[in-house]
Amino acid sequence: PASRPTEGTPDLANTVADLQVVGAEPDLQQLILSRVQTKLGGVTSRKQLEQDVATILGTGFFANAQFSTRNLPTGVGVVFQVE
């Protein structure tokens, strides 16, 4: 089983250098981007991304949502995948 950080473990914050939503029509992509706390050029963390996924699911438009990240020279790239 994968270990999960315990309370008090620092959650590293990264600058968002790229932010995408895949699996949704353009109008729903804009809805997602307007609701999540993670913003292009802002700072995010794993905890924040998990909260954003909960926010996306809370819209009721999607049965599944997840995120992936990748390291970029200027920060982190974030992709929200929705179904």
Side-chain angles (χ1 to χ4, degrees):
S3 64
R4 296 192 50 85
T6 58
E7 285 302 313
T9 301
D11 187 14
L12 297 178
N14 294 289
T15 300
V16 180
D18 185 43
L19 180 59
Q20 299 177 37
V21 177
V22 295
E25 297 296 321
D27 56 337
L28 290 177
Q29 290 179 16
Q30 290 305 311
L31 173 74
I32 289 168
L33 293 174
S34 72
R35 298 274 180 99
V36 297
Q37 294 297 310
T38 300
K39 304 291 183 195
L40 186 62
V43 175
T44 196
S45 64
R46 174 167 288 281
K47 182 177 180 179
Q48 181 61 61
L49 292 167
E50 289 170 352
Q51 291 173 345
D52 287 340
V53 165
T55 297
I56 291 168
L57 292 173
T59 66
F61 289 108
F62 307 102
N64 190 19
Q66 57 192 359
F67 69 88
S68 62
T69 60
R70 66 190 187 288
N71 291 325
L72 300 171
T74 55
V76 65
V78 176
V79 176
F80 290 109
Q81 171 77 43
V82 296
E83 296 176 6

